[in-house]
Amino acid sequence: MENPHIMQSAVAPPPLPATLVFAPIVRRVPDKPLVLVVDDDMIMREMLQIALEDEGFRVTTTGDGAEGLRCFGQVQPDIVVTDANMPVMDGFALCEALRARSASQYVPILMLTAAQDTDSITAAFTCGATDFATKPLQENLIGHRLRYLLQGSRNLSELARSESRLANAQRIGRIGNWDLNISEDAVSSSAEACRILGAQPVHSPRTWIEYLRFIYQDDRAQVARWMAEMIRTGQPTSLEHRVVRQDGSLRYVFVQAEIATDDDGKATHVSGTIQDISDRKEASERIAYLAMYDALTGLPNRRLCTERLDTILARASRRGGTVAVMIVGLDGFKRVNEARGHSTGDALLVEVSGRLKDNLRQGDEIAYTSSGKSSLDAVARLGGDTFAITLTDLGPGENAAAAATRVQALLSGPCVIDGESLHVTASVGIAVFPVDGSSGPELLTNAESAMHAAKLERRNGIRFFTAEMNAGAARKLAMANELRSAIDTEQLSLHYQPQVDLASGRIVGAEALIRWTHPVRGPISPADFIPLAEELGLILRLGEWALRTACTTARSWQRAGMPPVRVGVNVSPSQFREPDFPRMIERVLVETGLDARCLDLEFTEGVMIGDPEAAIETMRVLRRMGVQLAIDDFGTGYSSLSYLRLFPVQRLKIDQSFVRTLDADEQSTAIVETVVMLGRALKLNVIAEGVETHAHATRLRALGCDEVQGYLVSRALPEGEFRAKLESDWRLAH
Ligand code: C2E
Ligand code: MG
Ligand code: MG
């Protein structure tokens, strides 16, 4: 310690080990404020120390500004009393240095100056001193003076803390605030407001005109009017507008403001908040977009299409014009989607919509009127593989048909997706306003019916709507409602058709076949309502019901002492693909008490479409449970000879279409022969369905088929009749 001032100091801290010099541990006694006295005059220091300690302060003294600065860091006093003039570092320099540090920014500093030295007094305040006192000091008052300064400083730090809390809250909430002093045209903005405007605080707007410069050009006049109106009326208001940040980006903001008035009610200030709502705005715009547009293709969706169509129809009906709605459905899209995956399906839809859109821009490529101008108003995606095109100002009906042909030609070129070339055809249905419907929804529905009719006839067909199509659609709708209630009102039952072993002639199994007896319309074929149940999503309930009923029945036969025949239950592909399917089977087996080996699940090759590996895995799970598996309608599918090897199934059911034409048709005979051979090679049981004649049965036996099922043995029978048949079959054998 070479510094003479410190040596002279009465309370100079004892020398500390070098490592501790910059980190002294100072115990703070909260109720005794610590004063750092800096004065080169030792007598003054001592006098001050005595006076202040008498007043209840603790005191540390040093004899020079530089030492005072170092000592401040060590002891962290609550207040500093410094002489103005000192030899090495004077009080002004000390004051400046302390104010430059954040730790001592708000510590009160009392500067001691010579009386009447106004220059020093001015300099003291310029350097950041809080107050001054002139020498000679009135020692009896100095304590009061310091306490007063301390109080002021506490208020200041509290204010600083609360300002920083507010700034934090603004930053977190992304709300800034600003103020406009009307008469002075002075704008002040919080840090967050500056951030929202994209301005560095130094470039923040100082006047209203400067503020307006941050506002997006197109919104400026509106904001200026808004402010003028608010000042005129004195009413608080809010507004949404855009701002352009310094980096050129556009943000949406929401401002709220109110007027402050003076005692005479005159508007003096406008204070407001500003909030960045760009993200919210973007999200709500996206939601609004998705409500109207198809996310995949960017085309208008059904809702927007219907709205636009209604507008077009209103115009057409005023002018007596004709409007045609064309529904374009891609043929076999579902198959592409299932066989090649959804991403290929999506890419195909994007390609198709692109072709429609591009040609829309050129307008008359797709449609033109006799006047030669484009008549094509809109293309939309209604969902799945269905698109709608609206043609206005049509002359005779041929134009719509010609347009439909052009659409088909447009889509017929190969679509190359992931290097693979896909050929698309489209079926088109057309409904014309006002003949086929008077509203947008009605025309769309009717054109869709026409498209479905076109699809049923052949691929790549075109059909105009006819009234009969509506009747068909209405029938289907009524049936859908009835099917829902049929499940609840026990109009459904299971019939059982025997399956007979060709070698022994014994009944070895029964296929459970669902029956719907409609209270008015009588029996309805499962061939008619199973596809509908699939379409309506009712198949899961229906399938579980059939399974539970069949298992319960088979178990009751066993309980009655019958031989344990297996019971075949049909499973539709969508049921099979349900992730819960094996668990559902297990549950039903446990609940009904049927041995898993007595259950034979029949599914078609259709279950393989899309994800054959997943299908095989499901089969393996079922096999592990002991359940038997059969491929129904074998030979009609298009997939899977290569996969067949991998299927853990026990049985192939030759489709009845081949059995029926056995010997009459060469191809059928060859297929039956091949299936039997295949079954043998793979050690599978082979059963022929739809066996109606002895000739067929004899031929099948000769070919090596194991079992038969068909009218030759019996039709599917109600449960009681089947049980009687089983009983007599059993008795005959014993
Ligand atoms: P499937 O599984 O191939 O059933 C065989 C169909 O052929 C049954 O028609 C049966 O009555 C019929 N049949 C049996 N023997 C002969 C015959 O010698 N000659 C002729 N001409 N037909 C015969 P059904 O009962 O009308 O069932 C039709 C289809 O409905 C079934 O074909 C099956 O795919 C489906 N199905 C029936 N019940 C259910 C069920 O509970 N769930 C599911 N998912 N589908 C079912
Ligand atoms: Mg079947
Ligand atoms: Mg079958």
Side-chain angles (χ1 to χ4, degrees):
M1 293 261 177
E2 313 105 341
N3 193 314
H5 300 287
I6 287 282
M7 297 302 282
Q8 288 164 15
S9 166
V11 285
L16 291 167
T19 48
L20 286 182
V21 164
F22 296 104
I25 298 164
V26 181
R27 284 174 62 111
R28 307 293 303 262
V29 183
D31 53 353
K32 273 197 163 190
L34 177 64
V35 186
L36 172 64
V37 173
V38 188
D39 201 318
D40 56 336
D41 177 347
M42 194 179 74
I43 298 176
M44 192 66 189
R45 284 200 305 268
E46 284 173 353
M47 231 175 58
L48 270 171
Q49 180 163 17
I50 294 163
L52 289 173
E53 280 177 354
D54 287 352
E55 284 282 335
F57 289 91
R58 291 174 303 131
V59 178
T60 295
T61 63
T62 66
D64 170 66
E67 274 311 316
L69 198 57
R70 197 167 71 80
C71 191
F72 186 99
Q74 291 172 11
V75 302
Q76 295 186 5
D78 299 297
I79 189 162
V80 177
V81 177
T82 177
D83 188 15
N85 298 312
M86 289 177 286
V88 180
M89 181 190 211
D90 64 15
F92 307 108
L94 171 64
C95 214
E96 264 176 353
L98 286 175
R99 288 300 179 238
R101 296 180 180 179
S102 62
S104 48
Q105 211 172 355
Y106 299 112
V107 169
I109 303 173
L110 179 72
M111 184 89 79
L112 305 178
T113 57
Q116 273 86 48
D117 183 0
T118 41
D119 286 350
S120 287
I121 295 169
T122 312
F125 284 122
T126 312
C127 299
T130 319
D131 202 356
F132 71 95
T134 50
K135 291 180 180 177
L137 287 174
Q138 278 187 281
E139 281 112 39
N140 54 341
L141 294 184
I142 189 81
H144 297 297
R145 189 74 168 265
L146 294 198
R147 260 190 289 278
Y148 176 76
L149 291 180
L150 276 171
Q151 184 56 44
S153 117
R154 272 188 215 112
N155 292 346
L156 258 182
S157 357
E158 191 46 47
L159 187 64
R161 262 199 298 280
S162 97
E163 267 181 358
S164 128
R165 276 198 294 267
L166 178 65
N168 261 345
Q170 292 200 349
R171 187 178 46 74
I172 294 164
R174 298 169 101 184
I175 300 185
N177 73 298
W178 50 266
D179 180 88
L180 167 66
N181 181 326
I182 301 169
S183 61
E184 291 173 13
D185 184 23
V187 172
S188 59
S189 320
S190 71
E192 183 59 17
C194 291
R195 203 198 57 73
I196 292 171
L197 293 173
Q200 296 292 333
V202 284
H203 298 126
S204 72
R206 308 261 170 232
T207 65
W208 177 237
I209 294 293
E210 277 180 31
Y211 186 88
L212 282 177
R213 286 219 177 90
F214 283 87
I215 289 161
Y216 182 56
Q217 203 166 8
D218 292 3
D219 298 351
R220 229 172 255 165
Q222 189 197 6
V223 176
R225 273 197 303 275
W226 172 76
M227 180 58 84
E229 183 66 10
M230 187 166 36
I231 294 173
R232 194 180 66 74
T233 62
Q235 291 304 310
T237 56
S238 59
L239 182 74
E240 257 181 50
H241 64 83
R242 288 161 291 182
V243 297
V244 189
R245 307 172 86 171
Q246 261 166 5
D247 62 5
S249 63
L250 208 62
R251 305 294 290 178
Y252 283 88
V253 297
F254 176 64
V255 286
Q256 282 177 296
E258 59 183 32
I259 299 283
T261 51
D262 61 14
D263 293 345
D264 303 331
K266 185 172 167 270
T268 57
H269 285 256
V270 184
S271 9
T273 57
I274 179 166
Q275 186 178 8
D276 188 335
I277 54 161
S278 308
D279 294 349
R280 199 170 73 200
K281 189 96 183 157
E282 251 167 47
S284 66
E285 272 171 8
R286 179 89 189 132
I287 290 166
Y289 175 83
L290 288 177
M292 290 296 185
Y293 289 88
D294 169 44
L296 177 69
T297 61
L299 291 176
N301 63 12
R302 181 183 287 269
R303 185 165 149 199
L304 183 56
C305 174
T306 313
E307 273 179 20
R308 282 191 180 163
L309 193 53
D310 277 335
T311 316
I312 291 168
L313 296 185
R315 206 170 50 216
S317 79
R318 278 198 303 278
R319 288 193 290 174
T322 314
V323 177
V325 174
M326 195 155 85
I327 301 288
V328 180
L330 305 185
D331 298 319
F333 176 76
K334 201 164 167 242
R335 191 113 50 97
V336 171
N337 219 15
E338 286 178 338
R340 299 177 190 242
H342 289 277
S343 59
T344 305
D346 284 354
L348 183 61
L349 290 172
V350 170
E351 167 70 24
V352 165
S353 68
R355 288 186 191 187
L356 295 177
K357 260 192 290 197
D358 289 350
N359 285 279
L360 246 182
R361 267 182 239 120
Q362 295 158 23
D364 60 4
E365 279 238 338
I366 292 179
Y368 53 83
T369 57
S370 37
S371 64
K373 83 178 172 54
S374 164
S375 64
L376 212 136
D377 270 342
V379 57
R381 182 177 173 216
L382 300 188
D385 57 1
T386 313
F387 299 85
I389 296 172
T390 311
L391 310 162
T392 54
D393 296 332
L394 278 173
E398 305 85 72
N399 271 351
T405 313
R406 272 189 290 276
V407 167
Q408 287 179 324
L410 200 68
L411 300 183
S412 67
C415 297
V416 179
I417 287 161
D418 288 341
E420 247 188 296
S421 175
L422 296 175
H423 287 271
V424 179
T425 58
S427 299
V428 182
I430 301 166
V432 181
F433 171 85
V435 199
D436 300 331
S438 55
S439 71
E442 193 183 358
L443 274 186
L444 283 174
T445 310
N446 290 348
E448 275 179 300
S449 300
M451 187 272 287
H452 286 301
K455 260 195 181 171
L456 283 182
E457 270 167 22
R458 60 187 176 92
R459 309 183 88 166
N460 221 23
I462 298 172
R463 278 288 298 264
F464 276 85
F465 172 75
T466 64
E468 297 81 68
M469 290 174 185
N470 241 348
R475 257 203 313 279
K476 190 167 155 191
L477 191 67
M479 199 183 197
N481 288 330
E482 287 169 349
L483 181 58
R484 282 198 185 94
S485 69
I487 301 178
D488 300 324
T489 55
E490 299 183 356
Q491 292 168 26
L492 300 178
S493 63
L494 284 187
H495 282 198
Y496 299 86
Q497 187 173 35
Q499 296 173 329
V500 167
D501 177 54
L502 274 173
S504 66
R506 298 278 312 278
I507 297 179
V508 288
E511 176 172 10
L513 292 158
I514 201 158
R515 296 289 173 261
W516 178 11
T517 314
H518 189 277
V520 180
R521 286 196 266 148
I524 299 176
S525 164
D528 288 336
F529 70 85
I530 293 285
L532 186 63
E534 295 242 15
E535 203 178 302
L536 298 171
L538 288 173
I539 193 71
L540 299 183
R541 265 181 78 195
L542 202 135
E544 186 168 342
W545 171 86
L547 177 79
R548 182 169 278 110
T549 310
C551 291
T552 309
T553 307
R555 180 75 187 114
S556 78
W557 296 333
Q558 294 171 5
R559 286 224 171 89
M562 312 283 159
V565 292
R566 49 165 214 265
V567 65
V569 176
N570 290 285
V571 174
S572 79
S574 53
Q575 214 185 339
F576 185 90
R577 285 193 201 108
E578 269 297 294
D580 194 43
F581 180 65
R583 271 197 300 276
M584 187 274 283
I585 299 282
E586 191 162 36
R587 228 173 21 241
V588 171
L589 285 172
V590 169
E591 280 167 27
T592 58
L594 186 73
D595 185 337
R597 287 168 301 182
C598 296
L599 177 63
D600 182 30
L601 295 179
E602 295 188 5
F603 46 82
T604 60
E605 288 155 290
V607 300
M608 235 64 64
I609 292 174
D611 193 348
E613 274 76 24
I616 291 170
E617 185 47 37
T618 305
M619 291 180 207
R620 291 208 182 105
V621 174
L622 292 165
R623 275 305 296 148
R624 281 199 290 274
M625 285 160 49
V627 174
Q628 302 199 36
L629 305 175
I631 303 182
D632 203 353
D633 304 344
F634 191 75
T636 58
Y638 47 82
S639 55
S640 49
L641 278 187
S642 56
Y643 271 110
L644 187 61
R645 236 169 8 92
L646 305 170
F647 292 176
V649 299
Q650 280 64 62
R651 190 164 295 104
L652 301 179
K653 292 191 83 173
I654 307 177
D655 189 65
Q656 47 184 289
S657 59
F658 308 123
V659 176
R660 199 174 308 131
T661 49
L662 185 63
D663 286 332
D665 175 275
E666 259 179 47
Q667 222 179 357
S668 293
T669 315
I671 289 174
V672 174
E673 278 176 1
T674 313
V675 175
V676 172
M677 269 159 50
L678 200 67
R680 296 201 138 183
L682 297 171
K683 302 204 170 34
L684 302 178
N685 178 296
V686 178
I687 177 167
E689 302 189 269
V691 179
E692 295 184 357
T693 65
H694 282 291
H696 288 160
T698 315
R699 182 81 169 96
L700 285 162
R701 186 188 294 122
L703 284 171
C705 181
D706 302 292
E707 295 174 18
V708 289
Q709 175 185 344
Y711 296 169
L712 174 65
V713 181
S714 167
R715 288 176 177 265
L717 301 170
E719 196 272 321
E721 288 178 39
F722 179 85
R723 180 194 282 243
K725 194 170 181 61
L726 187 59
E727 238 167 348
S728 78
D729 181 74
W730 186 60
R731 239 182 274 117
L732 274 179
H734 286 80

